[in-house]
Coordinates of all heavy atoms in Angstrom, one line a residue:
M123 N -131.6 93.8 -146.1 CA -132.5 94.9 -145.8 C -132.5 95.1 -144.2 O -132.7 94.2 -143.5 CB -133.9 94.6 -146.3 CG -134.8 95.7 -146.0 SD -136.5 95.3 -146.3 CE -137.1 95.9 -147.6
S124 N -132.2 96.3 -143.8 CA -132.2 96.6 -142.4 C -133.6 97.0 -141.9 O -134.4 97.6 -142.7 CB -131.2 97.6 -142.0 OG -131.5 98.8 -142.6
T125 N -133.8 96.7 -140.7 CA -135.1 97.1 -140.1 C -134.8 98.2 -139.0 O -133.7 98.4 -138.6 CB -135.8 95.9 -139.4 OG1 -134.9 95.4 -138.4 CG2 -136.1 94.9 -140.4
L126 N -135.9 98.9 -138.6 CA -135.7 99.9 -137.6 C -135.3 99.3 -136.3 O -135.7 98.2 -135.9 CB -137.0 100.7 -137.4 CG -137.5 101.6 -138.5 CD1 -138.9 102.1 -138.2 CD2 -136.5 102.6 -138.8
G127 N -134.4 99.9 -135.6 CA -133.9 99.4 -134.3 C -132.6 98.7 -134.4 O -132.0 98.3 -133.4
T128 N -132.1 98.4 -135.6 CA -130.8 97.7 -135.7 C -129.7 98.8 -135.9 O -130.0 99.9 -136.5 CB -130.8 96.8 -136.9 OG1 -131.0 97.5 -138.1 CG2 -131.8 95.7 -136.8
T129 N -128.6 98.5 -135.4 CA -127.4 99.5 -135.5 C -126.7 99.4 -136.7 O -126.0 100.3 -137.1 CB -126.5 99.3 -134.3 OG1 -126.0 98.0 -134.3 CG2 -127.2 99.6 -132.9
G130 N -126.7 98.3 -137.4 CA -125.9 98.2 -138.7 C -124.4 98.2 -138.4 O -124.0 97.5 -137.6
N131 N -123.7 99.0 -139.2 CA -122.3 99.0 -139.1 C -121.8 100.3 -138.4 O -120.8 100.9 -138.8 CB -121.6 99.0 -140.6 CG -121.9 97.7 -141.2 OD1 -122.0 96.7 -140.5 ND2 -121.9 97.7 -142.5
R132 N -122.4 100.7 -137.4 CA -122.0 101.8 -136.6 C -120.8 101.5 -135.8 O -120.9 100.7 -134.8 CB -123.2 102.3 -135.7 CG -124.3 102.8 -136.6 CD -125.4 103.5 -135.8 NE -126.5 103.9 -136.6 CZ -127.7 104.1 -136.2 NH1 -128.1 103.9 -135.0 NH2 -128.6 104.5 -137.1
T133 N -119.8 102.2 -136.1 CA -118.5 102.0 -135.3 C -118.4 103.0 -134.2 O -119.1 104.0 -134.2 CB -117.3 102.1 -136.3 OG1 -117.3 103.5 -136.9 CG2 -117.4 101.2 -137.5
P134 N -117.4 102.9 -133.4 CA -117.2 103.9 -132.3 C -116.9 105.3 -132.9 O -117.3 106.3 -132.3 CB -116.0 103.4 -131.6 CG -116.0 102.0 -131.8 CD -116.6 101.7 -133.2
V135 N -116.4 105.4 -134.1 CA -116.1 106.7 -134.8 C -117.5 107.4 -135.0 O -117.6 108.6 -134.8 CB -115.4 106.5 -136.1 CG1 -115.2 107.8 -136.8 CG2 -114.0 105.9 -135.8
Y136 N -118.5 106.6 -135.3 CA -119.8 107.1 -135.6 C -120.3 107.9 -134.3 O -120.9 109.0 -134.4 CB -120.8 106.0 -136.0 CG -122.3 106.5 -136.0 CD1 -122.8 107.2 -137.1 CD2 -123.1 106.2 -135.0 CE1 -124.1 107.5 -137.1 CE2 -124.4 106.6 -135.0 CZ -124.9 107.3 -136.1 OH -126.2 107.7 -136.1
Y137 N -120.1 107.2 -133.2 CA -120.6 107.8 -131.9 C -119.8 109.0 -131.5 O -120.4 110.0 -131.0 CB -120.7 106.7 -130.8 CG -121.7 105.7 -131.1 CD1 -121.3 104.4 -131.5 CD2 -123.0 106.0 -131.0 CE1 -122.2 103.4 -131.8 CE2 -123.9 105.0 -131.3 CZ -123.6 103.7 -131.7 OH -124.5 102.8 -132.0
V138 N -118.5 109.0 -131.8 CA -117.7 110.2 -131.5 C -118.1 111.4 -132.4 O -118.3 112.5 -131.9 CB -116.2 109.9 -131.8 CG1 -115.3 111.1 -131.7 CG2 -115.7 108.8 -130.7
L139 N -118.3 111.1 -133.7 CA -118.8 112.2 -134.5 C -120.2 112.7 -134.1 O -120.5 113.9 -134.2 CB -118.9 111.7 -136.0 CG -117.5 111.5 -136.6 CD1 -117.7 110.9 -138.0 CD2 -116.7 112.8 -136.6
L140 N -121.1 111.8 -133.6 CA -122.4 112.1 -133.2 C -122.3 113.1 -132.0 O -123.0 114.1 -131.9 CB -123.2 110.9 -132.8 CG -124.7 111.1 -132.5 CD1 -125.4 111.6 -133.7 CD2 -125.2 109.9 -132.0
V141 N -121.4 112.8 -131.0 CA -121.2 113.6 -129.8 C -120.7 114.9 -130.3 O -121.1 116.0 -129.8 CB -120.3 112.9 -128.8 CG1 -119.9 113.9 -127.7 CG2 -121.1 111.7 -128.3
L142 N -119.7 115.0 -131.2 CA -119.1 116.2 -131.6 C -120.1 117.1 -132.3 O -120.1 118.3 -132.1 CB -117.9 116.0 -132.5 CG -116.7 115.4 -131.8 CD1 -115.6 115.1 -132.8 CD2 -116.1 116.4 -130.8
A143 N -121.0 116.5 -133.1 CA -122.0 117.3 -133.8 C -122.9 117.9 -132.8 O -123.4 119.0 -133.0 CB -122.7 116.3 -134.8
W144 N -123.3 117.1 -131.8 CA -124.3 117.7 -130.8 C -123.6 118.8 -130.0 O -124.2 119.9 -129.7 CB -124.8 116.6 -129.8 CG -126.0 115.9 -130.4 CD1 -126.1 114.7 -130.9 CD2 -127.3 116.5 -130.5 NE1 -127.4 114.5 -131.3 CE2 -128.1 115.6 -131.0 CE3 -127.8 117.8 -130.1 CZ2 -129.5 115.8 -131.3 CZ3 -129.2 118.0 -130.3 CH2 -130.0 117.0 -130.9
L145 N -122.3 118.6 -129.7 CA -121.5 119.7 -128.9 C -121.5 120.9 -129.8 O -121.5 122.1 -129.3 CB -120.2 119.2 -128.6 CG -120.2 118.2 -127.4 CD1 -118.7 117.7 -127.2 CD2 -120.7 118.8 -126.1
W146 N -121.3 120.7 -131.1 CA -121.2 121.9 -132.1 C -122.5 122.7 -132.0 O -122.4 123.9 -132.2 CB -121.0 121.3 -133.5 CG -120.7 122.4 -134.5 CD1 -121.5 123.0 -135.4 CD2 -119.4 123.0 -134.8 NE1 -120.9 123.9 -136.2 CE2 -119.6 123.9 -135.8 CE3 -118.1 122.7 -134.3 CZ2 -118.5 124.6 -136.3 CZ3 -117.1 123.5 -134.8 CH2 -117.3 124.4 -135.8
V147 N -123.6 122.1 -131.7 CA -124.9 122.9 -131.6 C -125.1 123.3 -130.2 O -125.5 124.5 -129.9 CB -126.0 121.9 -132.1 CG1 -127.3 122.6 -131.8 CG2 -125.8 121.6 -133.5
V148 N -124.9 122.5 -129.2 CA -125.3 122.8 -127.8 C -124.4 123.8 -127.1 O -124.9 124.7 -126.4 CB -125.3 121.4 -127.0 CG1 -125.5 121.7 -125.5 CG2 -126.4 120.6 -127.5
V149 N -123.1 123.8 -127.4 CA -122.2 124.8 -126.7 C -122.5 126.2 -127.1 O -122.7 127.1 -126.2 CB -120.7 124.4 -127.0 CG1 -119.8 125.5 -126.5 CG2 -120.4 123.1 -126.3
P150 N -122.6 126.5 -128.4 CA -123.0 127.9 -128.7 C -124.4 128.3 -128.2 O -124.6 129.4 -127.8 CB -123.0 128.0 -130.3 CG -122.1 126.9 -130.7 CD -122.3 125.8 -129.6
F151 N -125.3 127.4 -128.3 CA -126.7 127.6 -127.8 C -126.6 127.9 -126.3 O -127.3 128.9 -125.8 CB -127.6 126.4 -128.1 CG -129.0 126.6 -127.6 CD1 -129.9 127.4 -128.3 CD2 -129.4 126.1 -126.4 CE1 -131.2 127.6 -127.9 CE2 -130.7 126.2 -125.9 CZ -131.6 127.0 -126.7
G152 N -125.9 127.1 -125.6 CA -125.8 127.3 -124.1 C -125.1 128.7 -123.8 O -125.6 129.4 -122.9
Y153 N -124.1 129.0 -124.5 CA -123.4 130.2 -124.3 C -124.4 131.5 -124.6 O -124.4 132.4 -123.9 CB -122.2 130.4 -125.2 CG -121.5 131.7 -125.1 CD1 -120.7 132.0 -123.9 CD2 -121.6 132.7 -126.1 CE1 -120.1 133.2 -123.8 CE2 -120.9 133.9 -125.9 CZ -120.2 134.1 -124.8 OH -119.5 135.4 -124.7
G154 N -125.1 131.3 -125.7 CA -126.1 132.4 -126.0 C -127.2 132.5 -125.0 O -127.6 133.6 -124.6
L155 N -127.6 131.4 -124.5 CA -128.6 131.4 -123.5 C -128.1 132.0 -122.2 O -128.8 132.9 -121.5 CB -129.1 130.0 -123.2 CG -130.4 129.8 -122.3 CD1 -131.5 130.5 -123.0 CD2 -130.7 128.4 -122.1
Y156 N -126.8 131.7 -121.9 CA -126.2 132.3 -120.7 C -126.1 133.8 -120.8 O -126.4 134.6 -119.9 CB -124.8 131.7 -120.5 CG -124.0 132.4 -119.4 CD1 -124.3 132.2 -118.1 CD2 -122.9 133.3 -119.8 CE1 -123.5 132.9 -117.1 CE2 -122.2 133.9 -118.8 CZ -122.5 133.7 -117.5 OH -121.7 134.4 -116.6
Q157 N -125.6 134.3 -122.0 CA -125.5 135.7 -122.2 C -126.9 136.4 -122.2 O -127.0 137.6 -121.7 CB -124.9 135.9 -123.6 CG -123.4 135.6 -123.7 CD -122.6 136.5 -122.8 OE1 -122.8 137.7 -122.7 NE2 -121.7 135.9 -122.1
L158 N -127.9 135.8 -122.7 CA -129.2 136.3 -122.6 C -129.7 136.5 -121.1 O -130.2 137.6 -120.7 CB -130.3 135.4 -123.3 CG -131.7 135.9 -123.2 CD1 -132.0 137.1 -123.9 CD2 -132.6 134.8 -123.7
I159 N -129.4 135.5 -120.3 CA -129.8 135.6 -118.9 C -129.0 136.6 -118.2 O -129.6 137.4 -117.3 CB -129.6 134.2 -118.2 CG1 -130.7 133.2 -118.8 CG2 -129.7 134.3 -116.7 CD1 -130.4 131.8 -118.4
V160 N -127.8 136.8 -118.5 CA -126.9 137.8 -117.9 C -127.4 139.2 -118.3 O -127.4 140.1 -117.4 CB -125.4 137.6 -118.3 CG1 -124.6 138.8 -118.0 CG2 -124.9 136.4 -117.7
K161 N -127.9 139.4 -119.5 CA -128.2 140.8 -120.0 C -129.7 141.1 -119.7 O -130.1 142.2 -119.9 CB -127.9 140.9 -121.5 CG -126.4 140.8 -121.7 CD -126.1 140.9 -123.1 CE -124.6 140.9 -123.3 NZ -124.1 140.9 -124.7
I162 N -130.5 140.2 -119.3 CA -132.0 140.5 -119.0 C -132.2 141.6 -118.0 O -133.0 142.5 -118.3 CB -132.7 139.2 -118.6 CG1 -133.0 138.4 -119.9 CG2 -134.0 139.5 -117.9 CD1 -133.7 137.1 -119.7
P163 N -131.4 141.6 -116.9 CA -131.6 142.7 -115.9 C -131.4 144.1 -116.6 O -132.1 145.1 -116.2 CB -130.7 142.4 -114.9 CG -130.4 141.0 -114.9 CD -130.5 140.6 -116.4
A164 N -130.5 144.2 -117.5 CA -130.3 145.5 -118.1 C -131.4 145.9 -119.0 O -131.6 147.2 -119.2 CB -129.0 145.5 -119.0
L165 N -132.1 145.0 -119.6 CA -133.3 145.4 -120.3 C -134.4 146.0 -119.5 O -135.1 146.9 -120.0 CB -133.8 144.2 -121.0 CG -132.9 143.5 -122.1 CD1 -133.6 142.2 -122.6 CD2 -132.8 144.5 -123.3
F166 N -134.5 145.6 -118.3 CA -135.6 146.1 -117.5 C -135.1 147.2 -116.5 O -136.0 147.7 -115.7 CB -136.2 144.9 -116.7 CG -136.9 144.0 -117.6 CD1 -136.3 142.7 -117.9 CD2 -138.1 144.3 -118.2 CE1 -136.9 141.9 -118.7 CE2 -138.7 143.4 -119.1 CZ -138.1 142.2 -119.4
A167 N -133.9 147.5 -116.5 CA -133.4 148.6 -115.6 C -133.8 149.9 -116.1 O -133.9 150.2 -117.3 CB -131.9 148.5 -115.5
G168 N -134.2 150.8 -115.2 CA -134.7 152.1 -115.7 C -133.5 153.0 -115.8 O -133.2 153.9 -116.4

């Protein structure tokens, strides 16, 4: 029985997949945020 805080059988592949999964989320989010910041002045231009 494993307890909280133990890593178990986590191999380096696990960490690579974890990083790729986070990148899969963060990169599009960052791009969308960048596009929002770029287009904000157009929303308030008269």
Side-chain angles (χ1 to χ4, degrees):
M123 183 194 253
S124 65
T125 59
L126 291 175
T128 59
T129 58
N131 292 332
R132 293 186 181 156
T133 62
V135 174
Y136 171 81
Y137 294 109
V138 170
L139 291 175
L140 186 66
V141 169
L142 289 176
W144 273 106
L145 286 175
W146 188 263
V147 173
V148 170
V149 169
F151 180 78
Y153 178 73
L155 193 60
Y156 171 75
Q157 288 297 319
L158 176 67
I159 291 169
V160 166
K161 293 179 181 180
I162 281 177
L165 292 173
F166 296 105

